[in-house]
Amino acid sequence: MINTAIPCSEPWGMLPGSQPVRLFTLRNAQGMKVAISDLGATLVSWLAPDRAGRLGDVVLGHDTPAEYLASTAYMGAIVGRWANRIAGARFVLDGVEYTLDRNEGPNLLHGGNAGFHRALWDAEEDDGGLVMRLHSEEGEAGFPGNVDVTVRYSLDDEGELSIEYGARSDAPTPINLTNHAYFNLTGEPGTDIRGHVVSIESDRFFEVDAALIPCSESLVAGNAFDFRQSAPIGARLDWPHAQLTIAGGFDHCYVLPGTALEGRPVREVARAYDPTSGRELTVSTDQRGLQFYTGNFLDDEPGRNGSRYARHAGFCLEAGAFPNEINRLERDHLIVRPDKPYRQVTKYRLGVAANA
Ligand code: BGC
């Protein structure tokens, strides 16, 4: 009998320089299997039952570490030091201007040129979960402070995958981490996510400029961005809206309820349901922002088992700070200091919907 509480691990190829990459598996009593690699602390695969009990992979992934290194899709990875964009790849902290990597036009995207998603993390089993650790040197991508990051993945018997983030720095620095999983609950590679029915508990989102930098807050009421009542992604993608044209679909940060900047409770903020399989995903977080991204830039991306991923093959619900929030007036809560570590908790729960 398998002891589901102990993650097992297996070799998963080599990085250039002969560094071995490993794949760890978390299991639960429902037969779910979650595979996580120490390359990028990446959620590589999540096998979950459909309404008939058949296992299917609900996240997009590549077959090899080399494909992860070559890709710009950030599939399933932990993204940092700063997830999403920083406009002009710059910010000012305590009177000093910091210049960051410009890896998307004039802006920084997802941690800059190196990024946590391409790093090899230290991994160890911890009380049934998997703890990943990474050291990021002062000056990496232009950020101040030597930073030590911890990400703990754990899977419970109800199908909830918890991701607990922590980071410490020896000098003040902004930190904003997220997981960049692309979900497709059908479990069928090569399909799109248009049929998924999504709800997001938010009445506001950030409109973006042509470089996808937030420029103003906008209400969702009466337009394509209103997911307070659940709606199929495809129908909403077809709804005329200048913001959907700019981004080629949804690539926008929703403002989650609650005015507290810090110390927020973990609460359910979004759901996605796939009518074909009956699978349902629930997202809970203590963060203020939720980036809803419908895989608009996926373009013949190499997928699992030789499949290819096209536009809208998956969607992401990335919890974190607001994009470019470090350049907003109110941003002290984003600064990690030697006496003030970074914390985040986000949980993805998978099950079969009650009425499926
Ligand atoms: C961003 C997209 C970006 C994608 C990269 C998302 O988090 O919002 O604009 O293209 O990551 O895969």
Side-chain angles (χ1 to χ4, degrees):
M1 185 175 148
I2 297 168
N3 181 347
T4 55
I6 299 178
C8 57
S9 88
E10 57 190 297
W12 197 48
M14 294 277 186
L15 295 183
S18 303
Q19 283 171 295
V21 181
R22 296 194 76 77
L23 203 55
F24 297 80
T25 307
L26 303 174
R27 298 161 195 266
N28 76 1
Q30 296 179 31
M32 278 186 184
K33 285 186 206 168
V34 173
I36 297 158
S37 175
D38 49 6
L39 176 61
T42 300
L43 172 57
V44 168
S45 153
W46 185 345
L47 294 177
D50 66 5
R51 63 163 71 80
R54 283 182 303 247
L55 291 181
D57 210 324
V58 299
V59 295
L60 306 191
H62 309 291
D63 279 335
T64 62
E67 286 173 342
Y68 278 91
L69 287 181
S71 170
T72 53
Y74 303 84
M75 257 173 212
I78 298 296
V79 177
R81 291 186 188 191
W82 186 275
N84 209 284
R85 297 178 173 82
I86 296 182
R90 61 166 293 281
F91 66 94
V92 175
L93 178 58
D94 298 336
V96 177
E97 173 162 20
Y98 292 92
T99 307
L100 308 171
D101 286 355
R102 298 176 163 201
N103 63 326
E104 195 191 51
N107 305 316
L108 170 130
L109 172 67
H110 291 333
N113 294 328
F116 291 179
H117 63 292
R118 292 210 174 98
L120 196 59
W121 295 54
D122 289 327
E124 70 177 359
E125 184 263 330
D126 158 63
D127 196 23
L130 182 65
V131 176
M132 320 288 274
R133 291 193 177 83
L134 184 68
H135 178 74
S136 169
E137 292 279 329
E138 173 164 345
E140 188 176 303
F143 288 98
N146 291 290
V147 171
D148 287 296
V149 184
T150 309
V151 172
R152 181 175 192 274
Y153 285 97
S154 57
L155 177 69
D156 73 13
D157 283 338
E158 275 67 59
E160 188 161 82
L161 182 69
S162 295
I163 313 179
E164 296 159 81
Y165 303 76
R168 293 188 171 274
S169 176
D170 63 1
T173 191
I175 294 185
N176 174 35
L177 306 179
T178 199
N179 179 280
H180 206 294
Y182 291 72
F183 292 93
N184 181 328
L185 305 182
T186 66
E188 305 289 340
T191 61
D192 66 47
I193 42 85
R194 294 176 61 90
H196 288 60
V197 179
V198 164
S199 60
I200 301 175
E201 199 190 322
S202 168
D203 62 2
R204 279 172 302 148
F205 71 104
F206 286 98
E207 294 201 356
V208 293
D209 65 16
L212 302 179
I213 303 286
C215 41
S216 58
E217 273 182 46
S218 191
L219 295 174
V220 299
N223 65 60
F225 286 79
D226 193 347
F227 286 98
R228 291 174 299 176
Q229 302 289 326
S230 58
I233 294 178
R236 288 306 173 80
L237 283 170
D238 293 340
W239 200 321
H241 194 296
Q243 281 291 311
L244 294 178
T245 309
I246 283 184
F250 292 93
D251 194 352
H252 295 80
C253 184
Y254 281 82
V255 179
L256 297 175
T259 51
L261 301 176
E262 296 180 79
R264 297 162 58 93
V266 178
R267 55 178 291 179
E268 185 182 318
V269 295
R271 274 179 190 243
Y273 168 64
D274 165 42
T276 64
S277 66
R279 294 190 186 95
E280 185 176 53
L281 171 74
T282 310
V283 184
S284 304
T285 187
D286 60 2
Q287 295 296 289
R288 292 212 299 157
L290 190 71
Q291 184 82 11
F292 180 40
Y293 172 54
T294 45
N296 314 328
F297 295 113
L298 294 175
D299 180 15
D300 202 28
E301 185 77 19
R304 192 170 288 112
N305 299 324
S307 64
R308 312 292 294 187
Y309 298 132
R311 192 172 180 204
H312 307 321
F315 66 89
C316 305
L317 288 165
E318 306 157 53
F322 305 146
N324 196 35
E325 193 177 352
I326 187 63
N327 283 315
R328 284 163 65 102
L329 282 179
E330 192 178 45
R331 52 78 189 269
D332 273 2
H333 58 286
L334 303 168
I335 310 298
V336 174
R337 300 181 186 274
D339 60 349
K340 185 173 170 281
Y342 173 87
R343 296 259 173 271
Q344 183 199 148
V345 178
T346 296
K347 298 171 184 240
Y348 295 101
R349 193 175 71 240
L350 262 170
V352 170
N355 56 353

